[in-house]
Amino acid sequence: MTEFSPKNILVTGGCGFIGSNFVHYVVNTHPDVHITVLDALTYAGNIENIKGLPEDRVTFMHGNICDADLLDRLVPGHDAIVHYAAESHNDNSIANPAPFLETNVDGTFKLLQAARKYDVRYHHISTDEVYGDLALDDPHRFTEETPYNPSSPYSSTKASSDLLVRAWHRTFGVKATISNCSNNYGPYQHVEKFIPRQITNILEGQRPKLYGDGLNVRDWIHTDDHSSAVWTILTKGVIGETYLIGADGERNNITVLKSILRAMGQPEDAFELVKDRPGHDRRYAIDSTKLRTQLGWHPQHTDFAEGLEQTINWYTDNRQWWEAAKAKTEKRYQGQGQ
Ligand code: NAD
Ligand code: DAU
């Protein structure tokens, strides 16, 4: 198998949680690679996330992936696009779906057109949520063959974007790969998401908030493992193929919350049950056999208790990174009764 060795990568959404982790990963592990970060710096993007990286290795471009003229100026000269930029939060997509259609569907369309026009390799970052959900007692997990069945405005726009990638590969020959990953956790995650919301609630003296009965299951993976998997797929993956990324990390929300409470010295019952998310997916579970057996990838950060402790310590030590966003986020949740 000949490996692809990109030297000049355009990373969209590189100031978000997972995109910035990938930028750090590549800078730390591949000294011969230059990265251009294209990011609109929405409420979820933070330039601090890529601060301090060497200027000769990382160039920042403030802009929108829906801007085709900007892409015409930016894409030529790059040998790969790794597309992370998205509206990423389910609750926001229920409150206001429009930006999800724009960024996730139209933005992906614009990037695919640019990849086609300038013949640039394209890797598409997607989610396990495109497959819908599983019953708690279902013995199966998602595989690359599971039919698409998204539930929320967010996941339906991600599913749409995946289908665009498949069509642009088949019809126009765009050299594309797709990955669908499970729930990420780790430092730099926006405080609207489950784990950082609960950690920062406790740090602010507020009680954590659990949706519904708390029995929904997510399949947790440390974001460092997501980055190494994406690099593996970009360099060793077969064009036109989809790879599922997961680290066998299934846990229900109440178990995760109790682990956070224990690790932060709180009683295990010091939380509130709040209104459930409409259409709330019950369970996600990834079978990542294809990625492991065909490309030789394995997760390194599988000790969840250790990863959680590292994440709690990071939020404890970096209040200035999240305090302003926290106030705005909680105001939004209050308006939704959550
Ligand atoms: P995030 O919300 O933390 O970051 C999104 C980034 O994209 C931000 O920096 C934002 O400024 C930027 N962005 C948004 N709209 C843009 C636009 N129109 N033009 C340019 N930049 C724009 O998201 P995340 O959690 O880091 O997720 C990144 C990707 O990974 C998404 O595609 C998401 O669907 C996917 N994903 C996330 C998870 C997870 O657990 N968070 C799991 C699987 C897949
Ligand atoms: O599965 C991958 C997906 O994981 C990604 O595609 C999404 O971008 C990412 O946001 C994440 O989606 P979820 O909806 O699973 O993540 P979230 O952190 O919003 O919620 C995780 C679980 O916790 C879910 O069952 C809802 C619940 N929850 C969430 C919040 C914010 C609570 O119980 N209380 C909360 O306050």
Side-chain angles (χ1 to χ4, degrees), residues 12-20 38-46 49 61 63-67 83-89 99 102-104 107 124-129 154 158 179-185 188-190 192-193 220-221 223 226 245:
T12 72
C15 293
F17 165 48
I18 308 180
S20 64
L38 171 60
D39 199 297
L41 297 179
T42 66
Y43 80 96
N46 190 338
N49 298 4
M61 171 60 69
N64 198 309
I65 55 167
C66 299
D67 182 346
H83 176 34
Y84 285 92
E87 287 293 336
S88 68
H89 194 43
E102 285 154 24
T103 288
N104 301 359
H124 187 70
I125 305 296
S126 193
T127 167
D128 58 359
E129 295 193 17
Y154 162 70
K158 291 298 290 187
S179 54
N180 297 78
C181 188
S182 61
N183 283 64
N184 284 223
Y185 77 101
Y188 295 97
Q189 186 167 30
H190 195 278
E192 68 192 355
K193 304 295 197 301
W220 294 99
I221 181 172
T223 190
H226 189 178
I245 306 173

Side-chain angles (χ1 to χ4, degrees), residues 88 127-129 154 183 194 197 209 211 218 277 280:
S88 68
T127 167
D128 58 359
E129 295 193 17
Y154 162 70
N183 283 64
F194 178 58
R197 184 180 187 207
K209 308 281 192 290
Y211 294 174
R218 296 295 181 264
R277 172 185 286 171
H280 195 175

Side-chain angles (χ1 to χ4, degrees), residues 134-194:
L134 299 161
L136 294 181
D137 61 356
D138 192 328
H140 301 100
R141 299 189 288 172
F142 299 140
T143 71
E144 287 77 5
E145 275 70 50
T146 304
Y148 274 36
N149 187 26
S151 314
S152 74
Y154 162 70
S155 54
S156 61
T157 58
K158 291 298 290 187
S160 309
S161 68
D162 293 11
L163 298 184
L164 292 179
V165 179
R166 290 181 184 195
W168 261 243
H169 166 64
R170 176 159 170 166
T171 302
F172 303 119
V174 169
K175 296 194 287 280
T177 42
I178 300 176
S179 54
N180 297 78
C181 188
S182 61
N183 283 64
N184 284 223
Y185 77 101
Y188 295 97
Q189 186 167 30
H190 195 278
V191 290
E192 68 192 355
K193 304 295 197 301
F194 178 58

Side-chain angles (χ1 to χ4, degrees), residues 3-14:
E3 280 194 26
F4 172 54
S5 322
K7 294 286 175 272
N8 201 9
I9 306 177
L10 177 63
V11 176
T12 72

Side-chain angles (χ1 to χ4, degrees), residues 56-74:
D56 59 333
R57 304 282 314 284
V58 180
T59 306
F60 175 64
M61 171 60 69
H62 186 196
N64 198 309
I65 55 167
C66 299
D67 182 346
D69 293 337
L70 172 63
L71 296 181
D72 272 333
R73 295 195 298 277
L74 200 58

Side-chain angles (χ1 to χ4, degrees), residues 225-334:
D225 283 331
H226 189 178
S227 292
S228 68
V230 168
W231 180 263
T232 302
I233 297 164
L234 178 67
T235 55
K236 297 186 188 168
V238 176
I239 287 170
E241 291 291 311
T242 290
Y243 298 88
L244 263 55
I245 306 173
D248 301 331
E250 277 189 74
R251 277 171 188 78
N252 69 27
N253 294 338
I254 197 161
T255 304
V256 173
L257 180 54
K258 286 184 175 177
S259 303
I260 294 172
L261 285 162
R262 260 197 319 276
M264 296 182 75
Q266 302 289 313
E268 279 193 358
D269 60 354
F271 62 84
E272 282 170 26
L273 289 174
V274 296
K275 202 175 88 182
D276 206 357
R277 172 185 286 171
H280 195 175
D281 280 338
R282 197 57 166 160
R283 170 176 163 239
Y284 306 137
I286 287 263
D287 178 347
S288 57
T289 303
K290 178 176 174 182
L291 174 59
R292 294 176 194 230
T293 55
Q294 295 187 9
L295 306 187
W297 171 83
H298 292 282
Q300 303 294 319
H301 305 273
T302 48
D303 184 335
F304 187 69
E306 191 181 297
L308 206 52
E309 194 186 328
Q310 173 220 22
T311 306
I312 292 168
N313 290 341
W314 189 85
Y315 283 92
T316 307
D317 295 342
N318 290 279
R319 291 186 82 107
Q320 84 298 339
W321 184 88
W322 55 263
E323 269 172 339
K326 178 73 179 169
K328 284 189 201 149
T329 303
E330 289 306 321
K331 211 167 155 195
R332 205 170 67 214
Y333 274 127
Q334 258 175 25

